[in-house]
Amino acid sequence: MPNPGSAVPHPAPDQHLGLLAPVDLAKLASLAVRARTIVEGALAGAHRNLHPGTSLEFTEHKEYAPGDDVRRIDWKAVARTDRYSIKRFEDETELRMLLVLDTSASMGYRRSSVSKLEYATYLAAALAYLVGQQRDAAGLFAFDSEPRAVLPPSTRPGQVREVLAALEGLRPAGRANPGRALERAAELCDKRGLIVLFSDLLDMEDEVVGETAAGPLAERLRQLRGRGHDVSLFHVLDADEVDLPFEDLTFFEGMEPDDKRSLLAEPHDLAPAFREESALFRRRWQTLAREARMEYRFARTDTPPVEILAPYLAERAGSV
Amino acid sequence: MRFLAPVLLLALVAAALPYLIHRVGKRRAVPVRFAAMQLLLRSERRVHARRRLREILLLVARTAAAASLPLVFARPFCERATDLPVVTLDAQAAVLILDDSASMQRRCGVGTCFAKAKARALALARQFPLDSELALLLASAGAEARIGELEAERARIVEAIEGTTCSARPADFTAAMRQAALLLAGANRALHRVYLFTDGQATGWEDGTGLPPASAPEVIIDDVTGGAPLPNRAILDARVQPTAESGPGGIAITVDIADYTQQSAPALGVTLRVDGAAVAQGAVELPAGGRARKRFLHAFPGEGGGSHDLVVSIEADAFPPDDRRTLHVEMARTLRVLAIDGDPRTIRNEDESFFFETAIKSGIPGALVTNKLADDVSPDGLSSYTVVALLNVAEPAPALAAALERFVMAGGGLFISMGDRVNAMVWNQRMARLLPQPLGLLRTAAALPGQRAGETLDERPAERLLPLDRRTPLLSVFPEEGGGLLGARFFKYVLLDPVRDTARRSVLLRFESGAPALVEGELGKGRVLLLTTTVDREWTDLPIRPGFLPLLREIARYLVGATDQQSAVALLVGEPSLLSFRADLQTLEIRRPDGSVWIAKREPDGNVHNVAFTGTDQIGLYRVRGASADGVFVEQPSQDFAVNLDPRESDPARLAPERRPDRLAAARVGAKPSKHRVELWHALSAVLLFLVLAESLLTLRRRRASALASGRSAK
């Protein structure tokens, strides 16, 4: 159990750790440490909760966890139990967060930084760690064409460790089938919860028409949103997939199984058009998120994860 | 297409290099397993067409450049059939002769034969191998060589050909060929050839080929007409004669017309224009290949005096220069002479006026001579005469002297002859302004003049005349040997006193002693001629000499201001025109038909003389103006003249094959058509240069795009 005293609003022991570049972060021993490092960096000097409630109908006490608003500590309960507790109200029931990770082969792309999957696991681990710290339920659903890791959201002790272990064991392979995967994921969330999807979203669109992303994944996300789930979309892309900074004549091949696509090209010939296409691609998913009132975050794998996570958390806290 | 160095074509395999490099480059492409193939392929679709086109262009440019390099070194050429002589393909010393004679102005298809000849000469000059030596001559009579020495610089030859114009002169191929042979005799090259571009006319070959009998250069005649017939109708001659048929001032114009078309013309139109206006039109029946004559009569209004331009023309054909002929006619005023006899005799042949009147009437048809005694002359009646002659008049009355002075000032002519009755003192007083020089003592010859062949021996002492100065207009009609003047003997004559002002008088004839025999003076618009001896046989036997009549005739003409009574001055192209300075003229200006001006200045000694104008190489009218010392030019219509085409140029008869100097070449007729080699490496080099430039531009553009892309990525 974490020491409440050390978890109360204190600056992190070394808040610069959270600003580590992904490659440097990868050098840290375990995913748990990485997750904590990110979380500490993200929450340095602030208290954030992923799901703050506002209601007068008291339901239960909850042990204080970093990120909880200190103003909501029930000092009376502290006096009775010698533990830092905060009150929970009707709307502030347990957060059920399901981390959904795309582990298709394309997520394994890397050149100078960490792979997209690794980067996604950093973010997911950090969120899982944070939710675990808040005694909320965290679950994991990793998929490619088939589910690869399924951990329904739970608050039981050891859940976060299992999630982290599962995340650490993920390897990119196969071809993504996000429609089916999200359907299974939705089944795991019988109550309304927070579904956080980490994916490069490549090859998940039908033919590009209009300004909004379309296809099975987009439809499934809209359905999830329609069922009352809170959906966050972390769009993870490598820097190469944004700028195409290759110089020599290159023979490009698809990464996923049975992907026969290939192209021999002078990258500098293509780069301007590619940059436009990449921006358009991101903008379509961003538009979809806005239309469906989902949270959209673009994550470049050469960006310190904390720079992605901190504003995310801040915004969610601010939306109270 | 053929090649001078075909072995170098083996290097054409190099053309495959760009493609191979392209293929190898593809193999050396860095393989990358890339996730965002979806974006990549969409980008590719956007730039595919442009990129593909650029790649193809680049590959084509590089392949073509690699292929054209060995092609250039292999010296490609093609051969195309040409009607130019094939012999130009050898290195040689060659003289090009361009026929610029008048006949080349004939229309040959679209342009003239000369334009065609020039074009062919240009093509030929460009065709010669670069190590050939060329010269350029012209075939018209008297033409200067355009390039008078063998020249290796092709541009000079080409420039000279382009700058040559067709003349109106007749052809003289003999002279041109002779000059060509001389040039080639000193040439270094083994091959000596003469190329003649002509219409094949026989005119100009009259004096032979002009080539040496031994070691003559090979001659190639390029007949620009292709042997086609050269039909022509021409005015060969036009003459003007005075005639009484059409009254005073009447003339007859006779026109000779020839047909060279072999087609008769039953009514060929002939037109006469006088001073620009068509005054008569007629028709003549011209037989095929024959000749016809047309005669026009024309009368000038009034007395007809003055200058007139006449043009006779026939219907125009393919050779216009001989379809018209121009004449300049100088019509003298009707000569009315008043002979004042100062020593009338009852025996007619002892009377001075007898010899004078007879000579004038015989020498000048139509001249009217009135004889009067000095006392019978009315001073007011002089204006009805053009010339007054004072023959041995003792003492001109003061009134007569004054009237004569007015008469001469107004343009009249005064002739004075001496005799026993002349009172020199009175003359010098009353006629001082009219006499060119004051009269002096009477001189009697003291020595025997010697006997000439055929002469009757005469024992009387006498003097003869000094040789004539034929540059004097009055004496220009006399032959060099004197024409019957130099044989005349003079027993007595009047000496003349010296004068300070000699500008207004000229001594035209002198005795052997140096004393003046005939002196000219000017007063106002008129002239005075003083003969220091008699016009009868008293002091001289001149009146019975053959030169007496032409001398008095020329004196009368000279006094009325005309050197000829009715002269139709028409020269042929190239013939010199003899122009004379009047006593007061210092400069003569001749304006040619094309407007160019030629100026002659009197020689510093101031003597009256003639000048020969040789620039008569244009057809048409030449106008003459004269300027006195004050520099004011005055028209001299009496000296105007016309120049016409040499009628030999009208005859289109071709040079007979046996007279052609190109028998060798002619023998080759029927051989396979010659071919002209066109070297292509120049054009290929240009293509190569263009390809390299295009490749550089494409590569540069690609590199710029690459640098731009890298810069954006770095940002």
Side-chain angles (χ1 to χ4, degrees):
Chain A
M1 292 291 290
N3 183 357
S6 64
V8 183
H10 274 272
D14 184 359
Q15 59 178 304
H16 298 294
L17 276 177
L19 293 171
L20 284 176
V23 278
D24 298 325
L25 209 54
K27 294 171 187 167
L28 296 178
S30 69
L31 189 59
V33 178
R34 293 173 205 151
R36 195 180 68 232
T37 307
I38 295 166
V39 168
E40 285 173 353
L43 298 183
H47 307 278
R48 296 287 182 268
N49 190 318
L50 286 176
H51 196 75
T54 52
S55 173
L56 295 175
E57 195 74 29
F58 174 78
T59 53
E60 61 178 352
H61 273 104
K62 170 187 167 291
E63 192 174 351
Y64 172 82
D68 289 339
D69 192 344
V70 292
R71 290 174 299 182
R72 296 171 64 195
I73 294 175
D74 187 350
W75 295 105
K76 290 178 181 172
V78 173
R80 283 197 305 272
T81 62
D82 199 20
R83 287 186 176 186
Y84 291 96
S85 301
I86 58 171
K87 285 181 178 175
R88 278 188 164 168
F89 299 88
E90 184 72 20
D91 273 358
E92 203 178 9
T93 52
E94 177 188 65
L95 168 66
R96 297 177 63 79
M97 181 180 74
L98 181 64
L99 300 167
V100 182
L101 263 83
D102 173 8
T103 65
S104 62
S106 69
M107 287 294 283
Y109 180 78
R110 80 159 95 189
R111 198 154 71 108
S112 56
S113 183
V114 295
S115 73
K116 290 183 281 185
L117 182 59
E118 285 173 305
Y119 194 85
T121 57
Y122 296 167
L123 295 176
L127 288 177
Y129 181 81
L130 185 60
V131 168
Q133 291 291 302
Q134 291 174 336
R135 302 289 185 268
D136 283 330
L140 173 67
F141 183 84
F143 68 93
D144 45 54
S145 55
E146 295 296 330
R148 295 299 171 194
V150 181
L151 287 171
S154 170
T155 54
R156 66 185 173 82
Q159 174 72 4
V160 171
R161 196 172 58 248
E162 281 185 33
V163 168
L164 293 182
L167 284 172
E168 212 154 20
L170 292 176
R171 295 288 177 271
R175 198 179 182 89
N177 189 349
R180 266 181 61 194
L182 279 187
E183 197 176 335
R184 288 285 309 278
E187 290 168 4
L188 294 177
C189 293
D190 50 346
K191 295 179 183 175
R192 289 193 306 165
L194 172 62
I195 296 175
V196 184
L197 173 63
F198 300 90
S199 173
D200 56 11
L201 301 175
L202 291 168
D203 302 317
M204 292 184 186
E205 287 181 281
D206 288 339
E207 194 167 344
V208 176
V209 181
E211 294 290 315
T212 308
L217 176 60
E219 282 306 308
R220 192 61 65 193
L221 289 171
R222 285 180 193 276
Q223 285 173 10
L224 289 174
R225 194 70 191 97
R227 289 179 195 167
H229 291 295
D230 197 357
V231 179
S232 292
L233 186 59
F234 281 83
H235 194 172
V236 185
L237 287 176
D238 191 275
D240 291 356
E241 293 163 341
V242 177
D243 289 331
L244 198 72
F246 299 88
E247 290 185 352
D248 299 322
L249 182 68
T250 308
F251 184 66
F252 295 98
E253 295 173 285
M255 293 184 73
E256 298 190 347
D258 303 325
D259 186 356
K260 302 294 181 193
R261 293 177 299 179
S262 66
L263 179 68
L264 178 70
E266 290 281 1
H268 47 72
D269 285 348
L270 285 179
F274 184 88
R275 278 193 290 272
E276 286 176 22
E277 281 296 332
S278 180
L280 194 62
F281 170 59
R282 297 192 301 273
R283 200 157 54 243
R284 279 198 306 276
W285 283 103
Q286 200 171 5
T287 307
L288 171 76
R290 191 172 61 246
E291 287 174 358
R293 287 181 288 128
M294 297 185 289
E295 185 70 27
Y296 174 88
R297 292 288 155 182
F298 168 53
R300 268 176 74 134
T301 58
D302 56 355
T303 312
V306 69
E307 287 185 18
I308 307 298
L309 219 48
Y312 173 70
L313 295 175
E315 194 162 323
R316 288 196 66 82
S319 68
V320 174
Chain B
M1 187 163 68
R2 295 165 62 192
F3 298 90
L4 288 176
V7 70
L8 292 176
L9 290 178
L10 291 173
L12 270 178
V13 294
L17 277 177
Y19 181 73
L20 292 175
I21 292 170
H22 180 69
R23 297 301 302 177
V24 170
K26 272 190 169 181
R27 278 188 202 162
R28 290 177 59 189
V30 181
V32 169
R33 291 176 64 79
F34 196 58
M37 287 303 290
Q38 167 197 5
L39 304 179
L40 205 56
L41 291 172
R42 276 189 206 149
S43 312
E44 165 67 7
R45 274 198 293 275
R46 284 173 62 171
V47 301
H48 173 79
R50 196 175 55 205
R51 187 177 62 81
R52 188 78 182 149
L53 177 66
R54 196 172 62 196
E55 276 181 0
I56 290 173
L57 283 177
L58 201 57
L59 188 64
V60 167
R62 285 171 176 166
T63 305
S68 55
L69 199 61
L71 276 176
V72 167
F73 282 110
R75 300 283 299 272
F77 68 91
C78 65
E79 289 181 334
R80 62 180 174 83
T82 175
D83 51 356
L84 289 171
V86 70
V87 287
T88 56
L89 297 182
D90 308 316
Q92 58 194 279
V95 176
L96 311 186
I97 300 178
L98 197 53
D99 182 1
D100 67 328
S101 64
S103 67
M104 295 292 281
Q105 293 181 34
R106 185 189 311 278
R107 281 198 295 274
C108 267
V110 179
T112 63
C113 290
F114 183 73
K116 206 167 177 180
K118 232 169 97 166
R120 292 177 69 83
L122 273 173
L124 193 76
R126 291 185 173 121
Q127 182 173 309
F128 282 110
L130 292 175
D131 48 354
S132 296
E133 291 179 326
L134 307 177
L136 177 65
L137 304 180
L138 300 179
S140 63
E144 287 185 10
R146 296 287 292 159
I147 303 285
E149 52 190 13
L150 289 165
E151 172 70 60
E153 194 183 336
R154 195 61 43 85
R156 268 196 73 199
I157 299 287
V158 168
E159 191 182 352
I161 294 172
E162 285 174 341
T164 304
T165 54
C166 193
S167 76
R169 293 184 293 265
D172 186 356
F173 294 110
T174 309
M177 295 295 277
R178 188 177 294 125
Q179 193 179 355
L182 279 173
L183 272 173
L184 291 171
N188 296 323
R189 305 275 166 204
L191 281 173
H192 296 174
R193 287 184 178 128
V194 177
Y195 297 86
L196 172 61
F197 300 90
T198 180
D199 54 4
Q201 211 174 2
T203 302
W205 293 101
E206 292 84 355
D207 298 330
T209 64
L211 297 174
S215 308
E218 186 181 346
V219 177
I220 295 101
I221 295 180
D222 190 346
D223 185 346
V224 295
T225 65
L230 308 171
N232 187 30
R233 287 193 179 115
I235 299 178
L236 296 183
D237 193 19
R239 299 175 301 282
V240 175
Q241 292 163 323
T243 178
E245 290 176 63
S246 49
I251 55 169
I253 303 103
T254 308
V255 186
D256 290 333
I257 304 164
D259 175 79
Y260 301 105
T261 63
Q262 307 306 319
Q263 282 184 342
S264 63
L268 180 70
V270 190
T271 305
L272 170 67
R273 284 186 174 77
V274 175
D275 296 328
V279 297
Q281 201 157 16
V284 65
E285 183 181 352
L286 185 61
R291 299 195 174 190
R293 178 168 288 175
K294 176 70 183 172
R295 189 163 181 262
F296 288 105
L297 292 176
H298 179 70
F300 292 105
E303 293 180 353
S307 301
H308 301 281
D309 300 326
L310 274 62
V311 176
V312 285
S313 58
I314 58 172
E315 294 159 12
D317 57 17
F319 185 41
D322 63 3
D323 296 334
R324 57 187 282 142
R325 217 154 179 93
T326 308
L327 297 166
H328 179 75
V329 179
E330 186 63 26
M331 297 294 292
R333 288 179 290 168
T334 303
L335 194 64
R336 291 195 177 87
V337 182
L338 171 63
I340 302 174
D341 193 349
D343 186 19
R345 301 289 177 91
T346 51
I347 300 171
R348 189 75 177 126
N349 60 3
E350 290 181 358
D351 195 357
E352 284 163 314
S353 63
F354 165 72
F355 294 98
F356 180 81
E357 182 181 350
T358 306
I360 294 294
K361 283 186 172 176
S362 303
I364 306 173
L368 302 174
V369 180
T370 306
N371 285 303
K372 285 191 176 179
L373 299 177
D375 297 336
D376 299 338
V377 175
S378 166
D380 298 332
L382 295 183
S383 58
S384 58
Y385 301 98
T386 51
V387 173
V388 175
L390 299 175
L391 310 175
N392 195 13
V393 174
E395 296 175 0
L400 178 61
L404 284 170
E405 194 172 318
R406 288 195 300 275
F407 171 72
V408 174
M409 290 285 284
L414 176 62
F415 174 70
I416 302 168
S417 67
M418 295 290 104
D420 292 333
R421 295 179 59 82
V422 170
N423 184 338
M425 191 179 299
V426 176
W427 268 80
N428 288 341
Q429 286 175 354
R430 294 180 183 169
M431 302 284 280
R433 293 194 66 196
L434 287 167
L435 285 171
Q437 267 184 267
L439 303 179
L441 298 173
L442 180 67
R443 181 184 174 106
T444 304
L448 288 174
Q451 188 178 8
R452 294 196 171 190
E455 278 188 341
T456 309
L457 184 63
D458 192 329
E459 296 298 332
R460 287 186 294 175
E463 281 196 42
R464 296 184 194 274
L465 292 172
L466 284 175
L468 309 182
D469 181 359
R470 294 175 62 246
R471 294 176 302 170
T472 306
L474 190 147
L475 303 174
S476 61
V477 297
F478 288 91
E480 198 167 349
E481 62 274 14
L485 279 182
L486 298 184
R489 287 179 293 183
F490 299 87
F491 314 114
K492 283 184 182 177
Y493 53 88
V494 174
L495 294 173
L496 300 179
D497 289 344
V499 287
R500 287 182 182 172
D501 181 14
T502 59
R504 288 178 54 249
R505 73 105 171 95
S506 301
V507 179
L508 307 182
L509 284 173
R510 287 182 186 276
F511 297 112
E512 285 173 331
S513 63
L518 184 63
V519 186
E520 177 201 358
E522 290 186 0
L523 182 66
K525 295 179 181 176
R527 290 172 177 164
V528 179
L529 284 173
L530 168 63
L531 182 67
T532 57
T533 188
T534 57
V535 289
D536 61 8
R537 298 179 59 189
E538 201 163 339
W539 287 8
T540 175
D541 65 357
L542 178 65
I544 59 169
R545 296 288 175 177
F548 181 71
L549 189 148
L551 178 64
L552 278 206
R553 182 190 67 203
E554 293 306 315
I555 284 173
R557 287 176 182 170
Y558 191 67
L559 285 174
V560 296
T563 55
D564 203 353
Q565 183 195 15
Q566 286 159 335
S567 57
V569 184
L571 307 169
L572 297 182
V573 171
E575 289 181 350
S577 174
L578 199 65
L579 303 171
S580 62
F581 285 94
R582 267 177 44 187
D584 59 333
L585 295 182
Q586 299 297 317
T587 308
L588 283 179
E589 178 198 270
I590 297 100
R591 188 172 295 275
R592 308 202 308 168
D594 67 350
S596 59
V597 169
W598 184 84
I599 287 181
K601 291 196 178 293
R602 182 194 281 270
E603 288 179 3
D605 60 12
N607 285 336
V608 175
H609 66 280
N610 292 345
V611 60
F613 172 67
T614 56
T616 55
D617 54 358
Q618 293 175 12
I619 294 172
L621 279 165
Y622 290 66
R623 302 291 186 191
V624 182
R625 295 198 304 167
S628 51
D630 57 7
V632 177
F633 276 96
V634 179
E635 301 292 338
Q636 302 280 307
S638 61
Q639 300 211 63
D640 289 352
F641 58 96
V643 173
N644 287 302
L645 183 74
D646 190 319
R648 291 177 299 161
E649 286 294 301
S650 300
D651 186 354
R654 293 183 179 281
L655 185 63
E658 64 275 11
R659 291 178 59 205
R660 287 173 68 119
D662 61 338
R663 283 187 291 277
L664 181 61
R668 290 180 183 158
V669 173
K672 63 175 183 179
S674 61
K675 288 185 175 177
H676 174 207
R677 180 192 296 171
V678 181
E679 297 219 15
L680 302 172
W681 67 272
H682 312 85
L684 265 177
S685 300
V687 170
L688 174 62
L689 199 65
F690 171 77
L691 288 171
V692 170
L693 195 66
E695 197 273 344
S696 303
L697 284 174
L698 284 169
T699 308
L700 186 68
R701 196 169 169 181
R702 194 171 163 180
R703 283 185 184 161
R704 274 187 186 166
S706 174
L708 204 62
S710 301
R712 283 182 184 166
S713 300
K715 283 177 187 174

